[in-house]
């Protein structure tokens, strides 16, 4: 009886929420340079991106690190907050353009009012500590910044994007695949938690699309809590790996 029950226990453990969270917490493995640490991280649902952040409610300041790979070598990555809608139009974005050779990526700010990006423009949210590096795994670029948000802000729409090329120091338009069009969600600041989920309806547009309009279509974005990079994944106070190890020991003991 015991030997037949153990394989079932193993299956249940591997399918448990704790084991699932352990496997999905890829953002927690990101190693940042000295002096850069973040309280929370989230694996964003599209484009293989992740967001790391610390929100200081007393100062209404948001320190972030956005991590994503450009769509092609020489491309760009972008992340921003949109206090006016759910698409790119109105977004306050940080854009990192891949540097030539070993040069560090260049960070530019864009207050996106349309779909033809040229010169950098100041954000509605004062931005400081802007930097980027290309030290992420898999060719990923990491964009850093600190945003001064309005007092009392508890949640705000966020958008992110990747592109394959730039012209004259400005990002060219990105692809219009399903993942690109759904790269938006909600960032919940209250209590240090966050949410990032794809919008239900895609938008026609992008950070550097030529022409077109942002429909601002309504979307269903159910909040999901962000992960603390240092939080232990556990079930009833025991970590999932420990439970799995115990189960394996029990299985061997019954053979």
């Amino acid at each position: 009886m015991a030997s037949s029950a153990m394989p079932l226990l193993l299956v249940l453990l591997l399918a448990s929420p704790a084991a699932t969270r352990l496997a999905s917490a890829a953002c927690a493995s990101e190693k940042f340079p000295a002096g850069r640490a973040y309280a929370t991280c989230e694996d964003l649902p599209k484009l293989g991106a992740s967001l790391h952040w610390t929100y200081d409610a007393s100062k209404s300041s948001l320190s972030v690190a956005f991590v994503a790979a450009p769509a092609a070598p020489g491309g760009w990555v972008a992340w921003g907050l949109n206090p006016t809608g759910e698409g790119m139009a109105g977004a306050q974005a940080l854009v990192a353009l891949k540097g030539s050779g070993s040069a560090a990526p260049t960070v530019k700010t864009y207050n996106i009012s349309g779909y033809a990006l040229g010169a950098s423009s100041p954000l509605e949210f004062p931005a400081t500590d802007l930097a980027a590096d290309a030290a992420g795994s898999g060719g990923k670029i990491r964009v850093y910044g600190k945003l001064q948000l309005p007092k009392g802000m508890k949640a705000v729409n966020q958008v992110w994007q990747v592109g394959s090329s730039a012209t004259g120091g400005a990002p060219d338009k990105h692809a219009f695949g399903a993942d690109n069009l759904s790269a938006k969600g909600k960032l919940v600041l209250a209590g240090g938690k966050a949410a990032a989920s794809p919008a239900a309806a895609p938008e026609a547009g992008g950070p550097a699309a030529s022409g077109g309009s942002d429909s601002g279509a309504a979307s269903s974005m159910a909040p999901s809590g962000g992960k603390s990079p240092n939080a232990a994944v556990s079930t009833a106070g025991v970590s999932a790996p420990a439970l799995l190890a115990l189960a394996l020991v029990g299985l061997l003991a019954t053979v």
Side-chain angles (χ1 to χ4, degrees):
M1 178 71 69
S3 61
S4 62
M6 290 308 296
L8 176 60
L9 177 58
L10 284 172
V11 171
L12 292 175
L13 285 171
L14 290 172
S16 69
T20 301
R21 288 195 301 271
L22 180 66
S24 64
C27 64
S29 65
E30 192 72 38
K31 304 299 182 185
F32 292 106
R36 294 193 185 276
Y38 303 91
T40 314
C41 75
E42 183 80 7
D43 293 314
L44 299 177
K46 302 296 179 182
L47 304 177
S50 64
L51 183 70
H52 307 249
W53 74 95
T54 299
Y55 179 62
D56 186 337
S58 65
K59 298 179 180 178
S60 299
S61 67
L62 178 67
S63 296
V64 300
F66 172 70
V67 183
W76 53 268
V77 303
W79 171 88
L81 299 178
N82 192 337
T84 64
E86 296 171 352
M88 278 291 174
Q92 308 298 300
L94 306 179
V95 180
L97 305 168
K98 184 70 173 67
S100 59
S102 59
T106 301
V107 181
K108 295 189 175 184
T109 60
Y110 287 94
N111 182 336
I112 301 177
S113 58
Y115 288 102
L117 299 187
S120 179
S121 53
L123 305 182
E124 289 184 12
F125 308 134
T128 58
D129 194 26
L130 299 179
D133 63 45
S137 60
K140 291 181 178 179
I141 292 177
R142 305 186 296 194
V143 189
Y144 309 104
K146 179 181 289 187
L147 301 178
Q148 186 63 46
L149 304 181
K151 286 196 176 294
M153 179 176 281
K154 296 182 179 179
V156 61
N157 294 314
Q158 66 172 339
V159 292
W160 62 97
Q161 199 54 253
V162 300
S164 59
S165 62
T167 301
D172 293 328
K173 67 180 181 179
H174 60 76
F176 292 91
D179 282 1
N180 298 91
L181 298 177
S182 298
K184 49 188 174 181
K186 188 174 288 291
L187 184 65
V188 180
L189 302 169
K193 296 267 186 166
S197 59
E203 67 176 78
S210 56
S213 62
D214 189 335
S215 63
S219 62
S220 173
M221 297 182 289
S224 62
K227 304 177 183 67
S228 169
N230 299 318
V233 179
S234 63
T235 299
V238 182
S239 67
L243 286 173
L244 182 56
L246 290 173
L248 289 172
V249 171
L251 178 59
L252 292 174
T254 59
V255 175

